[in-house]
Amino acid sequence: VRAWPDKMADGSAPDAVKEFQRVAMGARGQKNEGTLRLHPGGLIWKKSGGSKLVDIKKDDVAAVWVAEVPRDSQLTVRQKSGKDIVFYGMSTQQETDAIRAHTMQYFGVEAATKKYAVAGHNWGEAELDGTTLRFVARGGEPAFELPLGDVAAAQVHGKNEMQIGFHTDDTDQQKDSLVELSFYVPPSSKAHVAGVEGTAANALHEKLLAKADIGTAVGEALAAMEGLYVVAPRGRFTAEFHPKFLRLQGTANDFKVQYDSMLRIFVLPRAPEMQGSVTWVNVALDPPIRKGQTYYPHLLLQFPSDAQTELEIDLDEDELKQKYGDKLEPTYAAATCEVFAKVLRGFSSTKITRPQEFHSAIEGTGSQAVRCSFKTDEGMLFPLAKQFFYAPKPPMIILYEDVGHVEFQRQQSGTSASSRTFDLVVRTKMDTEYQFRSIARAELQNLLSFFKAKSIRITNLRQTEEAAEGGGDGRKKSFADGDDGAEFDDESDEDEDEDEDFDGAGKEESSDEDVDYGALGSDEDEK
């Protein structure tokens, strides 16, 4: 543990902020390692690599527990909604003492000590506590706990046996995972309610269904869109929107993706002013979906920009309002790409990012990207507010905060065909190099001005400035001319990001506010 070196935005002293390295967060059967930061306003956990973030405000902390587990300690934070967030990796007494002192001083919550049953008893009581199913062994100590968010189905066999099934999907999981659990509920169990018809197993089953909200977790879809073209993984699919997951059903493949694996939705129009243009909708995933031995961290769909769709959500308006608030509408009638993105956002609570700042210098396209080639494939490079996004093959994100420098190559003017284009090399701080070839010379000044505005280091800045002076026939308006990117405002939505705050494919796990993923700060973000 160490004090955070910078002063907080609220004026807190630096020693009031503490950071714990290599702390894992438990999520759907696997542990994701990252960094845990405690500050006077709450706590923030960021996955290593910057792709997932949890931000819990102190006013949302209901209880805190510290427990000793094999090799280290476990920190459980319960939110006022009843959801438990579990962290592992505090390996010393100094670290657990620092957590106890911090939560008491700044959150006003005493970190209680939790002890687990280790005697090996296999009988006790099954209890529901908030959004957790806890198995309490003889002696009153919990043997293990299961988050109800992982429960996909529950049923009673016979009179006293209960069976629970857990969500499984096509994302990258550990080799072995828990998919089913059966246990005996004796008639004398505390779950039995006197005077109520049915066994103790039936009573526990009813309570679990009410808490887990899994009555419609399986079965018919609430909405479906047919004939969608998916670029990665390639194929034609029918998209079925279920309460807990998205199902892509094709002729040869069938994918099931949990909504909590979706980190950010990108809506990327390729060239909106050109006839026959297409729009890509990319869903960033963590963990990625798997097809054989190939992993896909991005679900990339392609839509004709002028295609229209009408879609109805198969829920009555009262139930829709109760479960999803203003996130979903009863019916949609708009461009197909917009309908898909907004319905997916409503079910998954995933934010939408659109390009806003950059505009291509090529006349007549309206594009907010530059055409180029990566390796042997032609594609589009979108310079967004906080990252590059390249599509379609392969879809990839390069965060500006991870970029060490960029270099313009073959930017000298001339008369040959090769001199009408230039190359852009992006090298990250980890020495990974990406080379984007054959970019039209008209984009040189545009990209140069954009990189300067973003404070991205350019290794051959002087030579590039000399090459850009007075060049670029066909240049329309550059980033430097003051275009703020408001040209693309297709049904502007208060719930959508204007290409802000997405860091690597980040998605908040448990907060009502989004934050700047790159800085682990606390700036508010539109939902």
Side-chain angles (χ1 to χ4, degrees):
V1 59
R2 65 176 177 85
W4 195 264
D6 300 322
K7 196 171 184 179
M8 294 292 293
D10 61 4
S12 304
D15 58 0
V17 185
K18 295 179 174 61
E19 182 185 83
F20 301 84
Q21 302 286 350
R22 303 191 67 180
V23 172
M25 186 187 75
R28 286 178 42 212
Q30 59 184 359
K31 295 181 183 179
N32 299 310
E33 193 172 274
T35 300
L36 177 66
R37 175 185 174 190
L38 299 177
H39 60 90
L43 62 90
I44 296 173
W45 178 87
K46 183 180 181 182
K47 182 182 176 182
S48 299
S51 62
K52 187 176 290 187
L53 185 96
V54 176
D55 180 23
I56 305 175
K57 307 300 180 185
K58 70 174 183 179
D59 294 336
D60 193 32
V61 177
V64 178
W65 294 276
V66 176
E68 292 185 3
V69 295
R71 293 183 295 277
D72 52 31
S73 296
Q74 170 186 295
L75 171 66
T76 303
V77 179
R78 171 163 295 179
Q79 298 176 272
K80 291 184 177 178
S81 63
K83 182 178 182 180
D84 289 345
I85 309 294
V86 182
F87 302 97
Y88 306 86
M90 287 64 69
S91 57
T92 67
Q93 186 66 39
Q94 178 189 3
E95 292 177 334
T96 55
D97 289 344
I99 291 173
R100 293 178 187 274
H102 188 97
T103 57
M104 188 65 191
Q105 180 178 356
Y106 295 106
F107 302 170
V109 178
E110 183 178 0
T113 299
K114 180 187 289 187
K115 292 185 178 180
Y116 285 98
V118 294
H121 295 155
N122 65 343
W123 70 91
E125 288 286 342
E127 300 177 351
L128 291 172
D129 183 12
T131 59
T132 301
L133 176 61
R134 178 178 296 112
F135 287 83
V136 181
R138 183 181 181 183
E141 296 176 345
F144 61 92
E145 299 169 328
L146 298 170
L148 295 183
D150 290 352
V151 177
Q155 53 186 330
V156 176
H157 288 288
K159 292 184 178 181
N160 302 310
E161 185 176 341
M162 188 168 174
Q163 184 180 74
I164 297 175
F166 298 93
H167 286 297
T168 59
D169 59 14
D170 294 284
T171 56
D172 180 18
Q173 299 272 342
Q174 294 179 346
K175 184 176 180 181
D176 298 318
S177 60
L178 180 64
V179 296
E180 189 177 278
L181 176 68
S182 297
F183 54 93
Y184 174 78
V185 185
S188 59
S189 170
K190 294 179 182 179
H192 180 69
V193 180
V196 177
E197 187 177 348
T199 65
N202 293 123
L204 181 62
H205 178 253
E206 292 297 325
K207 292 179 182 178
L208 191 146
L209 288 180
K211 291 274 188 178
D213 190 24
I214 59 176
T216 57
V218 294
E220 295 296 324
L222 299 181
M225 299 177 68
E226 298 180 351
L228 302 186
Y229 176 55
V230 181
V231 180
R234 194 176 186 88
R236 289 275 179 183
F237 293 87
T238 294
E240 295 182 352
F241 299 91
H242 293 258
K244 300 291 185 181
F245 61 89
L246 172 71
R247 182 184 181 188
L248 295 175
Q249 188 172 12
T251 56
N253 296 291
D254 194 346
F255 296 100
K256 180 180 173 184
V257 185
Q258 299 294 327
Y259 290 135
D260 61 9
S261 294
M262 300 178 183
L263 306 177
R264 186 62 62 114
I265 301 170
F266 292 87
V267 178
L268 306 168
R270 180 167 178 171
E273 294 180 8
M274 296 183 65
Q275 187 176 3
S277 176
V278 299
T279 296
W280 288 313
V281 176
N282 184 84
V283 185
L285 303 172
D286 185 13
I289 58 176
R290 180 177 58 195
K291 180 181 177 182
Q293 297 301 314
T294 304
Y295 297 96
Y296 296 91
H298 299 277
L299 182 63
L300 183 64
L301 296 92
Q302 180 173 296
F303 299 87
S305 297
D306 57 355
Q308 300 290 310
T309 294
E310 294 184 3
L311 187 68
E312 182 177 349
I313 307 299
D314 190 17
L315 286 174
D316 61 66
E317 291 195 23
D318 292 338
E319 188 176 4
L320 190 69
K321 185 73 173 178
Q322 180 183 359
K323 290 187 174 182
Y324 299 100
D326 296 330
K327 295 179 181 179
L328 278 175
E329 301 176 11
T331 59
Y332 291 85
T336 307
C337 58
E338 291 293 327
V339 172
F340 177 83
K342 291 181 179 181
V343 172
L344 186 60
R345 178 189 62 185
F347 280 109
S348 66
S349 299
T350 306
K351 296 189 175 181
I352 295 178
T353 291
R354 303 174 185 271
Q356 293 287 331
E357 299 182 6
F358 183 86
H359 284 259
S360 171
I362 305 299
E363 293 279 3
T365 64
S367 178
Q368 293 172 284
V370 296
R371 184 186 296 272
C372 61
S373 296
F374 180 74
K375 296 183 178 178
T376 60
D377 297 293
E378 184 179 298
M380 303 292 287
L381 180 67
F382 291 83
L384 303 178
K386 290 184 178 279
Q387 65 274 318
F388 294 109
F389 192 103
Y390 177 82
K393 186 178 180 180
M396 61 183 174
I397 294 170
I398 308 172
L399 299 178
Y400 295 152
E401 68 176 26
D402 293 336
V403 173
H405 65 266
V406 298
E407 179 182 356
F408 291 89
Q409 296 181 348
R410 299 193 305 104
Q411 79 278 28
Q412 292 80 12
S413 59
T415 58
S416 65
S418 62
S419 65
R420 297 172 190 169
T421 62
F422 65 92
D423 301 339
L424 175 66
V425 176
V426 179
R427 182 178 290 275
T428 69
K429 295 174 183 176
M430 301 298 291
D431 287 332
T432 303
E433 185 174 288
Y434 303 90
Q435 186 172 21
F436 302 98
R437 299 184 175 90
S438 302
I439 303 174
R441 179 162 298 280
E443 306 284 12
L444 181 60
Q445 180 63 56
N446 214 11
L447 285 171
L448 180 62
S449 300
F450 184 84
F451 293 157
K452 286 182 178 179
K454 294 297 180 183
S455 301
I456 297 174
R457 180 171 169 256
I458 304 170
T459 55
N460 55 343
L461 176 60
R462 180 175 297 179
Q463 296 92 323
T464 305
E465 288 177 331
E466 292 174 355
E469 286 181 1
D473 293 338
R475 182 172 172 264
K476 182 179 64 175
K477 181 188 282 189
S478 74
F479 178 83
D481 292 327
D483 193 336
D484 62 0
E487 180 178 318
F488 181 74
D489 190 20
D490 187 8
E491 297 183 316
S492 178
D493 227 315
E494 289 185 359
D495 284 352
E496 295 178 3
D497 285 336
E498 294 184 353
D499 182 25
E500 296 176 355
D501 289 341
F502 179 73
D503 190 355
K507 170 183 175 181
E508 71 274 22
E509 289 286 314
S510 56
S511 171
D512 291 332
E513 296 176 325
D514 200 3
V515 299
D516 185 333
Y517 293 178
L520 283 180
S522 56
D523 296 336
E524 291 188 5
D525 192 8
E526 295 182 1
K527 291 188 71 179

